[in-house]
Amino acid sequence: MVAGITVFYVRQLLAVVGLLLGLATVAGAGELDRSDIQHRFKSPWVVGERLRDVPAWPLTSELSPDAGPVGYVFESIDLAPIPGFEGTPLNLLIAIDATGKFIDVEVLRQHEPVFLGGLGPGPLAEFVQQYKDKSLLREIVVASTYGRAQPGDRRIVLDGVAKATASVRIVNQTVLASALAVARKRLGFADPGEAALPAVPKADSYEPLAFEQLVQRGYVRRLILTNAQAEALFAGGDAAGLDEKALRDPQGLFVDLYVAYLNAPIIGRNLLGERDWQRLRGDLGDDRPAFWVAMRGRYPLYDDSFVPGTQPPRLGVQQRDLPFEL
């Protein structure tokens, strides 16, 4: 029997890439012109004419005039107008260099209630300064109650803002989505192409299937790692050889993990049963994606310190190099 069964409701952030295609081309959404950008990026920076294929200004350097663009500046609202906490998109001025590192992030306009009253705009301005020198090639998330990731992780964890958790996560998603849109056009990052729009499950696709059949057909994905396989992931690093249980029992089970997308009737109805499937559909009134995660073994999804309603530190979602907050 699989232990630790949990259902996670995920807001439809997977549609962000669709937003990049559908909403990013809104004319006149930005509020700055070339002179405004040049005022912010002074010598030796040189701001070029706004590009036609992506709403961004190229940056060159007086120190190497023949080197071509060394960076790009853009407004987030032109590329990722993600609604804020009260429904209005933020607008951030973002600059990245030719390697995908952030040069600067500045708040141009925001309507977040917590930063208009309450805390005031200061904490948000301080929060976005953390992006400087961070790379888009790393996973950038906002700290949760679990604190920072361990040294050596691929993940970069930014300090959050107390009492503004939802707002700063929207800011993070806005920064990453807009920066990746430019990086895909100009820096050779993977382009989502025609597959950018979110998939919609077929409502009439259903047949009774046992759990084993769901796994065999790939509707439920499974990952099994032994202690030896998990230990091999740390080979050559500081953590190699520190797991005494793994060394004593290399063939023992480290984790047996199952993941399934519940919105598809052929998966959700079979996993949950008709009554709970219908109840789930009612809870997901706006068609938010829901995932079923089950696991057993030595590596639990969460421990006794887990706070319901928060994201377990060992669970994340990523699509085309863009991480999503749960």
Side-chain angles (χ1 to χ4, degrees):
M1 184 66 180
V2 177
I5 298 176
T6 310
V7 176
F8 294 91
Y9 301 95
V10 184
R11 292 193 178 278
Q12 200 162 7
L13 292 176
L14 298 181
V16 167
V17 182
L19 284 174
L20 299 183
L21 295 184
L23 297 179
T25 57
V26 177
E31 53 195 74
L32 302 181
D33 57 25
R34 184 182 178 188
S35 63
D36 294 322
I37 303 299
Q38 188 67 73
H39 178 73
R40 287 170 166 82
F41 291 85
K42 301 182 184 299
S43 180
W45 300 107
V46 177
V47 180
E49 295 291 342
R50 199 166 190 251
L51 301 171
R52 293 185 177 183
D53 61 335
V54 62
W57 290 270
L59 288 175
T60 56
S61 173
E62 294 174 345
L63 304 179
S64 51
D66 298 326
V70 294
Y72 297 90
V73 186
F74 44 91
E75 294 180 65
S76 66
I77 201 165
D78 289 327
L79 294 153
I82 300 172
F85 190 77
E86 51 77 64
T88 304
L90 300 96
N91 192 19
L92 309 171
L93 184 67
I94 302 168
I96 59 175
D97 69 15
T99 68
K101 281 188 177 182
F102 287 98
I103 299 171
D104 193 23
V105 177
E106 176 189 344
V107 179
L108 295 177
R109 176 162 41 87
Q110 57 90 14
H111 297 273
E112 297 302 285
V114 68
F115 295 124
L116 291 176
L119 299 175
L124 178 57
E126 293 179 8
F127 173 79
V128 299
Q129 289 303 306
Q130 296 180 85
Y131 289 97
K132 187 174 182 178
D133 295 328
K134 305 295 191 300
S135 174
L136 277 170
L137 297 174
R138 303 276 299 276
E139 180 185 1
I140 302 175
V141 299
V142 180
S144 67
T145 55
Y146 300 95
R148 292 188 171 277
Q150 293 299 314
D153 285 352
R154 181 177 177 271
R155 175 178 296 179
I156 294 174
V157 182
L158 306 179
D159 290 331
V161 179
K163 301 180 181 180
T165 302
S167 291
V168 294
R169 287 183 172 178
I170 293 169
V171 171
N172 188 48
Q173 206 68 50
T174 299
V175 170
L176 297 180
S178 54
L180 280 169
V182 174
R184 285 165 176 154
K185 283 289 187 180
R186 286 285 163 166
L187 303 183
F189 282 44
D191 194 321
E194 296 180 357
L197 295 178
V200 178
K202 295 181 178 180
D204 58 352
S205 177
Y206 174 75
E207 63 176 297
L209 295 174
F211 183 78
E212 292 77 12
Q213 292 174 299
L214 291 171
V215 175
Q216 290 171 0
R217 295 192 184 186
Y219 293 138
V220 176
R221 304 305 298 266
R222 186 182 189 187
L223 173 68
I224 303 176
L225 290 177
T226 65
N227 288 329
Q229 289 172 319
E231 176 66 22
L233 299 175
F234 298 93
D238 295 338
L242 298 182
D243 188 348
E244 296 181 358
K245 290 184 179 180
L247 298 178
R248 288 198 306 267
D249 182 19
Q251 297 309 310
L253 179 65
F254 183 75
V255 67
D256 185 3
L257 172 68
Y258 298 83
V259 179
Y261 174 57
L262 288 177
N263 296 59
I266 198 169
I267 303 173
R269 284 179 65 183
N270 280 306
L271 277 178
L272 303 180
E274 187 65 31
R275 185 183 65 179
D276 288 339
W277 159 249
Q278 293 298 339
R279 185 171 64 180
L280 173 68
R281 291 184 65 189
D283 292 340
L284 300 177
D286 58 356
D287 293 327
R288 289 173 294 169
F291 295 90
W292 179 85
V293 181
M295 64 197 314
R296 65 187 181 95
R298 294 180 50 220
Y299 193 72
L301 187 63
Y302 52 83
D303 55 24
D304 293 338
S305 65
F306 174 69
V307 179
T310 65
Q311 177 178 341
R314 294 170 178 172
L315 181 67
V317 175
Q318 183 171 309
Q319 183 180 42
R320 299 186 183 277
D321 298 322
L322 176 61
F324 295 92
E325 297 280 1
L326 298 183

